[in-house]
Amino acid sequence: LDYIKNPISGLSFLTICRLLLRFTLYFLLVIIFAMAGEGSYFFEPFTESFGRRLKVEKFYYQGKTKYQFVQCFYNKFLGKVLFLDEKIQSAQIDEYIYHESLVHPALVTHPSPQSILVIGGGDGGALKEILRYPIEHACLVEIDQQVIDVSKEYFPWLLPSIEDERTELIIADGSEFIEEADKKFDIVFIDSSDPTGPSASLHEKDFYKKLKKCLNLEGIVVLQAGSPFYHLESIKKKDAFLKKLFKNVCFYTSPVPTYPGGSWCFVFLSDEVQPLKIKGR
Amino acid sequence: LDYIKNPISGLSFLTICRLLLRFTLYFLLVIIFAMAGEGSYFFEPFTESFGRRLKVEKFYYQGKTKYQFVQCFYNKFLGKVLFLDEKIQSAQIDEYIYHESLVHPALVTHPSPQSILVIGGGDGGALKEILRYPIEHACLVEIDQQVIDVSKEYFPWLLPSIEDERTELIIADGSEFIEEADKKFDIVFIDSSDPTGPSASLHEKDFYKKLKKCLNLEGIVVLQAGSPFYHLESIKKKDAFLKKLFKNVCFYTSPVPTYPGGSWCFVFLSDEVQPLKIKGR
C-alpha cells in the first residue's frame, strides 16, 4: 500500500489520523466521565477559601424562582436537604435541633401564647414545633411559593402543619406584611435566610422597629442570627441596634451540626418577659 | 493542491488531521487546567457521602511517616492547619478552644496538680495550656517524631513549650509507655487522633485499665471522644466500658467550629474528684 509517509516517524497519514481520532475519543470519554462525577457532587461555600462537598444521591428539585435558586436533593448521611441560593436551610437529620431551639424558649416563657407569627420558615419546621402548643392561631408569611411547594412534597411535616385549622398561610414579603398588618401577635419568629438575597430587609433595624408595633403586651420576638464563627460582624451589628429597641436582648446558641461551624445563634427579644428570671411555673 | 479528499465532507485529509490535532491539544489543556485547579484544593471526608473542601494557599509539609500521612498547609480563613491521615488535628483559628476545653476542667478541679502526662498531642496545643499552671512536671508522649518536627516549625507555641524546663518529651507509643512507666501522675490527658491509625489502642478498654495504675490518688484522666454527631457509636461504647473502670465518668462538649460537626466531646474520669460537686475554691 502506497500511503503518503510522514518524513519524521515513518507512520502513514492514515495511521496518524486514526491515532489522533482515538486520542480525541479517549479524552472526550475522560471529560464526560469527569463531568458526570462532578455533577453528582454539590459544593456549598462557607467562605471564599473553604466549604463543604456533598454527594447527591438524587436530585428532587432544582429551579430559579423570582427570588432565589431553590435546590432539594437527597444525601445518604443528611437525608433530604433544602438549599436556597447554595446555602443549606434544612437537613432532615438535624432540622429538629434548629427548629426546637428557635421555637421552644419563647413558647415556654410567654405567660399565655395564643397568636404566633412566623416570617420565613417555608420549610415548615418551625410551624411543626409551634403547633405542638395549645395556641389559637399561627400565621406563616413566606415570600416564595416555590419553597412551600418543594417542602410540601419532600418534607413530610409541612403539609399537615399547613392543613392544621389553626394555620394561616400567606405568600408575601414579611417586611411589607408587618407594615400593613392589622393584627397583633404574642410571639413572632424570624426564620429567615441569610442577609443577602430576599431576606436582606429582615436583618435591618427598620424592620424590628416596625415589628414592635405588631406585638401584644408581653410580646416576644425570636430570630436566627447566624453562626458565631462565620457571622460575628453581623451579630455584633444586630446586638447594637436591637439593644436600642428592646429592653431584654438575650443571645443564645444551639448545636446545629449541619450548619456551617456547627453551632447557631438566636436572639430572644422582649420588653416585658425576662427569660433569665423565669423559674419553673 | 491535490490532497486525498474525504468522500463525505469534502475536507482534505490534512485539514482533518489539523482539526483533530487542535481538538486533542484543546482537551489536553482543559484536563491540565482542571487538574491544576484540583491540586490547590484539599478534600477532607467526614462520611462516605460528604466532607469539606479547603483551598490550599501554601503547602508547608506533606509526607508519609512510619505511622501516618502528615500534611500541613495554610488556608486563608483557618490559618495553619495540621492534618493526619486526611483528618484535621489543629487549625490555627480555633485550636485554643479544643485545647482549653481538654485541659482546664481537670487542672482547675484537681486539688493540687503537680505531675501531668499528655499522650498524643504532638502539635503542642495541650502542653501550652498545661504550662500556664504552676505544675512541677509535664510529660509529653508522642508516637511520631515527624508531628513534633512539623509543629515545631509551623505552630509557634510548640517550641517554647518543649523548651520549658518542666517539660519532658518522649517519642514512644503511649500504650507501651504506660505499661512500663515507673512514675505516677496527677492528671493524664489523652489527646489522640481517631480510633483508626496509630491511636487505635488509645480507644480500647485495656488501655484505660492499665492507665489507672499510673494515677496518683485523686488522679484525673481526660480524653477527647470525638463528635457527638459523627462518632456516637464509639462514644456509647466508651461510655459503657469507662463506667466499669471509673467512679465518676463525666462527658462534656465544647464548640470547635473547624472540627466535623462543630462540637466536640470530652470525658472526665476520676475515682476521687467529682467535678459537678466542686464549688469555687
Side-chain angles (χ1 to χ4, degrees):
Chain A
L1 289 166
D2 199 14
Y3 291 117
I4 299 164
K5 296 283 181 187
N6 181 318
I8 298 163
S9 68
L11 289 175
S12 76
F13 243 91
L14 205 59
T15 317
I16 292 172
C17 289
R18 274 188 194 139
L19 279 173
L20 283 177
L21 192 66
R22 226 177 258 174
F23 268 112
T24 310
L25 283 173
Y26 172 70
F27 285 130
L28 265 173
L29 275 175
V30 167
I31 285 163
I32 288 164
F33 272 109
M35 282 169 72
E38 268 301 305
S40 64
Y41 284 96
F42 181 89
F43 183 70
E44 181 191 10
F46 290 172
T47 75
E48 178 215 330
S49 67
F50 101 91
R52 164 166 57 184
R53 201 181 75 172
L54 302 151
K55 196 170 177 191
V56 178
E57 295 297 326
K58 194 176 158 66
F59 246 114
Y60 292 127
Y61 178 83
Q62 178 155 263
K64 181 120 188 63
T65 72
K66 195 179 152 193
Y67 302 101
Q68 54 208 342
F69 195 45
V70 180
Q71 288 165 300
C72 183
F73 60 81
Y74 182 79
N75 171 276
K76 248 186 200 161
F77 189 71
L78 305 178
K80 294 174 187 164
V81 230
L82 177 70
F83 277 81
L84 298 181
D85 284 342
E86 294 189 302
K87 281 175 191 138
I88 195 166
Q89 303 299 314
S90 267
Q92 216 179 346
I93 195 173
D94 72 349
E95 63 79 25
Y96 75 95
I97 308 181
Y98 170 81
H99 290 118
E100 288 181 0
S101 307
L102 178 75
V103 166
H104 297 314
L107 271 151
V108 297
T109 49
H110 190 284
S112 164
Q114 290 307 329
S115 61
I116 318 289
L117 170 64
V118 182
I119 293 182
D123 60 22
L127 194 59
K128 166 192 72 173
E129 295 304 321
I130 290 164
L131 293 172
R132 296 187 196 278
Y133 292 83
I135 57 155
E136 272 170 15
H137 176 231
C139 181
L140 181 74
V141 178
E142 163 65 51
I143 198 168
D144 196 341
Q145 177 73 51
Q146 202 58 28
V147 173
I148 298 280
D149 293 344
V150 171
S151 305
K152 253 186 191 171
E153 198 158 344
Y154 301 109
F155 294 141
W157 52 81
L158 183 63
L159 200 58
S161 301
I162 283 183
E163 284 176 350
D164 191 297
E165 56 182 13
R166 296 167 292 170
T167 299
E168 181 186 2
L169 174 62
I170 296 167
I171 303 294
D173 179 304
S175 191
E176 287 168 15
F177 173 84
I178 57 158
E179 246 174 297
E180 293 152 19
D182 47 8
K183 287 177 243 178
K184 289 194 171 200
F185 299 90
D186 294 325
I187 308 177
V188 181
F189 295 106
I190 315 297
D191 188 10
S192 65
S193 48
D194 279 14
T196 50
S199 285
S201 67
L202 308 182
H203 295 265
E204 297 300 328
K205 186 178 177 181
D206 265 5
F207 173 76
Y208 292 91
K209 231 186 216 167
K210 287 186 268 170
L211 194 56
K212 278 202 81 167
K213 292 175 195 151
C214 300
L215 281 180
N216 283 328
L217 190 74
E218 301 190 291
I220 298 171
V221 178
V222 178
L223 55 132
Q224 73 88 358
S227 153
F229 190 59
Y230 293 102
H231 311 128
L232 194 58
E233 283 314 306
S234 105
I235 288 175
K236 280 182 188 166
K237 198 186 130 201
K238 277 206 182 77
D239 179 53
F241 73 65
L242 289 172
K243 276 182 179 153
K244 285 180 188 152
L245 294 173
F246 290 88
K247 213 171 134 192
N248 301 307
V249 178
C250 299
F251 283 77
Y252 61 99
T253 61
S254 191
V256 186
T258 63
Y259 278 9
S263 71
W264 215 246
C265 199
F266 302 87
V267 198
F268 181 109
L269 303 169
S270 173
D271 280 336
E272 299 292 326
V273 185
Q274 293 183 291
L276 300 179
K277 288 195 178 159
I278 284 167
K279 298 208 173 168
R281 274 199 296 262
Chain B
L1 289 164
D2 198 15
Y3 291 117
I4 299 164
K5 295 283 178 188
N6 179 317
I8 299 162
S9 68
L11 288 174
S12 76
F13 244 91
L14 204 61
T15 316
I16 292 172
C17 291
R18 273 187 194 141
L19 278 174
L20 283 176
L21 192 68
R22 227 177 259 173
F23 268 113
T24 311
L25 284 173
Y26 172 71
F27 286 132
L28 266 173
L29 275 176
V30 167
I31 286 164
I32 288 164
F33 272 108
M35 283 168 73
E38 269 301 303
S40 63
Y41 285 95
F42 181 89
F43 182 69
E44 181 190 10
F46 290 171
T47 77
E48 181 214 327
S49 66
F50 101 91
R52 162 165 59 185
R53 201 180 73 173
L54 302 151
K55 195 168 178 194
V56 178
E57 295 296 326
K58 194 177 158 66
F59 246 115
Y60 292 127
Y61 178 82
Q62 178 154 262
K64 182 121 188 61
T65 72
K66 195 178 152 194
Y67 302 100
Q68 54 207 344
F69 195 46
V70 180
Q71 288 166 300
C72 183
F73 59 80
Y74 182 80
N75 171 275
K76 247 187 203 164
F77 190 70
L78 306 178
K80 293 174 189 164
V81 231
L82 176 71
F83 277 81
L84 298 180
D85 285 343
E86 292 188 305
K87 282 173 190 136
I88 195 166
Q89 303 298 315
S90 267
Q92 215 179 348
I93 196 173
D94 71 350
E95 63 78 25
Y96 75 96
I97 308 181
Y98 170 82
H99 291 118
E100 288 181 1
S101 308
L102 177 75
V103 165
H104 297 314
L107 271 151
V108 297
T109 49
H110 189 285
S112 164
Q114 291 305 329
S115 61
I116 318 289
L117 170 65
V118 182
I119 292 181
D123 61 21
L127 194 60
K128 166 193 71 173
E129 295 303 322
I130 290 164
L131 293 171
R132 296 187 197 277
Y133 292 83
I135 57 156
E136 272 171 13
H137 176 231
C139 181
L140 181 75
V141 178
E142 163 65 50
I143 199 168
D144 197 341
Q145 177 73 52
Q146 202 58 28
V147 172
I148 298 278
D149 292 345
V150 171
S151 304
K152 253 186 193 172
E153 198 159 344
Y154 301 109
F155 294 142
W157 53 80
L158 182 64
L159 201 58
S161 302
I162 285 184
E163 284 176 349
D164 191 296
E165 55 182 14
R166 296 166 292 169
T167 299
E168 182 185 2
L169 173 64
I170 297 167
I171 302 297
D173 179 304
S175 192
E176 289 168 15
F177 173 83
I178 57 157
E179 246 174 296
E180 294 153 17
D182 48 6
K183 287 176 242 178
K184 290 195 171 200
F185 299 90
D186 295 325
I187 309 177
V188 182
F189 295 105
I190 316 296
D191 187 9
S192 65
S193 48
D194 278 15
T196 51
S199 286
S201 67
L202 308 181
H203 295 265
E204 297 300 326
K205 186 179 177 181
D206 266 5
F207 173 76
Y208 292 92
K209 231 185 216 168
K210 288 186 268 170
L211 194 56
K212 278 202 82 167
K213 292 174 195 148
C214 301
L215 280 181
N216 283 329
L217 189 75
E218 301 190 292
I220 298 171
V221 178
V222 178
L223 54 132
Q224 73 88 358
S227 153
F229 189 59
Y230 293 102
H231 311 127
L232 194 57
E233 283 314 306
S234 106
I235 288 175
K236 279 182 189 168
K237 199 184 128 200
K238 278 208 182 75
D239 179 52
F241 72 65
L242 289 172
K243 275 180 179 154
K244 284 178 188 153
L245 294 174
F246 291 88
K247 213 171 134 193
N248 301 308
V249 178
C250 299
F251 284 78
Y252 61 97
T253 60
S254 191
V256 187
T258 64
Y259 277 9
S263 71
W264 214 246
C265 197
F266 302 87
V267 198
F268 182 109
L269 304 169
S270 174
D271 281 336
E272 298 292 326
V273 184
Q274 292 183 293
L276 299 178
K277 288 194 178 160
I278 284 166
K279 298 211 171 165
R281 274 199 294 263

